[in-house]
């Protein structure tokens, strides 16, 4: 049995402590919470930096000197060419993991995810850690435009860093997971791309996988009574033109107005755009995750569409697995995520295991493998069959 590491420090902390009474948190409150903890998160998540990775920070992918358009590239440190396993000129390129940070769309920064990304680079991949413009000043169309521009940069430049531009895995946590999933959908669904005035930067055949950590992938949960976040989180993602943001401006709304908001939310809800063309997906969530239901719905829809899906779901008994726990390398459950993610990337990129240049545990605590499941679906604390029968 793994010993839980009790440490809470992100912007959901207050909501966790008052889980039974906190409902409909406003956008402004969320932004204040994020502002109060962001510097501590950057320090805590990035302690004990990983030295076996090469870092290139703050590349401007649009050339406009705007920090929201910066990305970092992290690569496995190459050993000397004459050493065992050294990279020669004909060394096969690494798969590329393009990551979008979370923060409720309004907040967050790639810098808090540096060590998370370094832990993935240790698994034998080039990692691209992306910033993007944020609501409420900008809407989802702007966010997707930035994410797509980052993919264009990757396609044109990542070969210089040892990455394979034709072997891309997109990923993100929370709101960043929604961005990655919706961007994936625009590549396979032209009508969605047209709705957001987007011309996909890469063809679908270059997308080999999608990684989702506690992601906001089903917006139907926002419309359920007593959900933790207010409907203003949906409104702020919509275009500012016309009446889109003005349909519902208070807690009280008419039925027709709510239905219009539901319809508009469909264009930012990844689950509405799934089909069998999606690449394989790796989903991690827990019963403590505020978006647990959204992730369960997403997994079941993927299965209905016969999309290969690997899942790691923790039960309530795992105290470390609050929303976006994957960012904190010190948790054993986070390291389990890292190992599974490395295996997922190797599988979808058809890499041999020995492509991992370090072949070592992710930095942090050791994990007891006693509860591990090597299958494609792991539900901690319950059998996979029990989970699938829920509904």
């Amino acid at each position: 049995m793994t010993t839980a590491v009790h440490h809470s420090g992100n912007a959901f902390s207050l909501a966790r402590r008052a889980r039974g009474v906190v409902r409909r948190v406003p956008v402004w409150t969320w932004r204040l919470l994020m502002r109060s903890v962001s510097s501590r998160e950057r320090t805590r998540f990035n302690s004990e930096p990983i030295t076996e990775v090469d870092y290139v920070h703050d590349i401007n992918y649009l050339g406009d000197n705007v920090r929201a358009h910066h990305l970092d590239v992290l690569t496995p440190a190459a050993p000397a060419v004459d050493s065992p396993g050294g990279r020669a000129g004909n060394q096969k390129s690494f798969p590329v993991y393009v990551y979008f940070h979370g923060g409720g769309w309004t907040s967050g920064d790639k810098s808090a995810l540096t060590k998370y990304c370094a832990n993935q680079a240790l698994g034998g991949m080039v990692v691209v850690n992306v910033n993007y413009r944020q609501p409420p000043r900008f809407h989802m169309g702007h966010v997707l435009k930035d994410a797509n521009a980052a993919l264009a940069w990757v396609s044109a430049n990542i070969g210089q860093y040892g990455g394979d531009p034709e072997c891309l895995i997109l990923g993100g946590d929370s709101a960043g997971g929604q961005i990655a999933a919706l961007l994936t959908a625009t590549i396979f669904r032209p009508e969605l791309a047209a709705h957001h005035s987007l011309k996909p930067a890469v063809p679908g055949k270059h997308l080999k996988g999608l990684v989702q950590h506690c992601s906001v992938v089903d917006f139907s949960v926002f419309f359920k009574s007593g959900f933790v976040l207010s409907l203003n989180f949906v409104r702020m993602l919509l275009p500012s033109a016309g009446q889109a943001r003005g349909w519902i401006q208070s807690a009280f709304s008419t039925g027709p107005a709510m239905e219009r908001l539901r319809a508009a939310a469909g264009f930012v809800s990844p689950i509405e755009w799934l089909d069998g063309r999606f690449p394989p997906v790796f989903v991690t969530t827990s019963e403590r995750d505020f978006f647990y239901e959204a992730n369960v719905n997403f997994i079941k829809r993927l299965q209905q569409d016969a999309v290969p899906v690997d899942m790691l779901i923790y039960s309530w008994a795992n105290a470390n697995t609050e929303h976006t726990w994957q960012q904190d390398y010190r948790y054993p459950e986070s390291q389990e995520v890292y190992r599974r993610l490395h295996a997922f990337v190797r599988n979808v990129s058809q890499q041999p295991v020995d492509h991992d240049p370090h072949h070592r545990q992710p930095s942090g605590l050791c994990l007891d493998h006693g509860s591990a499941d090597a299958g494609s679906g792991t539900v901690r604390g319950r059998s996979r069959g029990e989970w699938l029968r829920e509904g």
Side-chain angles (χ1 to χ4, degrees):
M1 180 68 67
T2 304
T3 301
V5 180
H6 297 279
H7 190 102
S8 179
N10 74 19
F12 272 115
S13 297
L14 294 179
R16 291 170 188 161
R17 294 168 188 159
R19 189 185 294 271
V21 296
V22 172
R23 298 289 186 271
R24 298 297 183 192
V25 174
V27 172
W28 68 266
T29 303
W30 168 257
R31 296 180 74 187
L32 287 175
L33 285 171
M34 286 295 293
R35 186 176 299 175
S36 70
V37 302
S38 59
S39 62
R40 296 199 301 272
E41 284 190 340
R42 281 195 298 271
T43 301
R44 188 174 75 255
F45 294 161
N46 293 320
S47 62
E48 302 176 17
I50 293 172
T51 58
E52 301 94 332
V53 168
D54 291 331
Y55 303 81
V56 181
H57 291 289
D58 293 327
I59 300 170
N60 191 281
Y61 57 84
L62 278 178
D64 56 6
N65 295 320
V66 175
R67 178 164 176 77
H69 293 148
H70 284 185
L71 58 78
D72 302 336
V73 178
L74 294 79
T75 59
V81 173
D82 58 354
S83 68
R87 295 187 68 200
N90 61 355
Q91 173 76 33
K92 183 180 178 181
S93 298
F94 292 110
V96 181
Y97 182 35
V98 182
Y99 198 80
F100 301 94
H101 67 81
W105 298 285
T106 69
S107 311
D109 187 88
K110 63 181 176 58
S111 59
L113 277 296
T114 297
K115 188 161 185 177
Y116 165 87
C117 291
N119 269 308
Q120 310 327 313
L122 288 176
M125 64 193 84
V126 172
V127 184
V128 181
N129 188 13
V130 183
N131 267 351
Y132 49 87
R133 289 176 292 177
Q134 297 175 346
R137 181 179 179 185
F138 301 99
H139 61 70
M140 182 51 61
H142 297 120
V143 176
L144 288 175
K145 182 178 179 181
D146 290 352
N148 193 55
L151 279 192
W153 183 93
V154 168
S155 181
N157 298 283
I158 205 63
Q160 302 173 30
Y161 301 87
D164 183 352
E166 297 184 4
C167 186
L168 306 178
I169 298 92
L170 305 188
D173 61 274
S174 193
Q178 181 265 350
I179 295 166
L182 197 64
L183 184 63
T184 298
T186 65
I187 293 172
F188 294 103
R189 302 293 295 268
E191 64 272 38
L192 180 62
H195 176 83
H196 291 289
S197 302
L198 204 67
K199 182 178 180 181
V202 299
K205 64 182 180 180
H206 292 176
L207 288 188
K208 305 302 183 183
L210 175 66
V211 175
Q212 298 284 280
H213 296 324
C214 302
S215 296
V216 192
V217 283
D218 179 5
F219 275 60
S220 69
V221 299
F222 281 95
F223 294 87
K224 294 202 168 186
S225 176
F227 187 64
V228 66
L229 299 179
S230 78
L231 283 169
N232 278 334
F233 281 86
V234 179
R235 298 185 199 109
M236 72 178 182
L237 299 178
L238 304 178
S240 57
Q243 298 178 335
R245 289 184 185 233
W247 286 337
I248 309 174
Q249 294 299 331
S250 71
F252 304 96
S253 58
T254 65
M258 184 66 76
E259 289 308 309
R260 289 196 296 269
L261 184 62
R262 284 180 184 271
F267 287 98
V268 295
S269 182
I271 197 171
E272 305 298 335
W273 301 93
L274 290 177
D275 65 26
R277 291 172 291 180
F278 254 63
V281 182
F282 176 44
V283 179
T284 67
T285 186
S286 84
E287 291 177 334
R288 290 175 174 266
D289 178 14
F290 290 98
F291 290 98
Y292 170 73
E293 181 181 353
N295 282 264
V296 168
N297 294 343
F298 192 68
I299 291 169
K300 291 181 177 179
R301 185 71 64 82
L302 288 167
Q303 293 171 332
Q304 290 172 10
D305 289 328
V307 175
V309 56
D310 187 9
M311 58 187 176
L312 179 57
I313 304 174
Y314 282 98
S315 71
W316 185 270
N318 293 88
N320 297 326
T321 59
E322 299 284 355
H323 185 71
T324 66
W325 85 88
Q326 302 90 338
Q327 299 174 10
D328 197 326
Y329 70 96
R330 294 172 298 178
Y331 294 158
E333 293 87 350
S334 297
Q335 294 187 43
E336 174 79 346
V337 171
Y338 302 167
R339 281 190 288 276
R340 289 284 290 271
L341 196 157
H342 297 173
F344 174 79
V345 170
R346 282 196 299 267
N347 184 48
V348 299
S349 61
Q350 298 182 339
Q351 285 184 222
V353 173
D354 63 5
H355 190 73
D356 183 337
H358 302 285
H359 198 64
R360 51 163 258 183
Q361 301 266 358
S363 176
L365 298 173
C366 294
L367 176 70
D368 177 7
H369 286 272
S371 61
D373 179 352
S376 62
T378 303
V379 185
R380 293 289 181 266
R382 295 172 294 163
S383 71
R384 185 168 182 263
E386 288 173 338
W387 177 81
L388 289 173
R389 287 194 296 270
E390 288 187 353

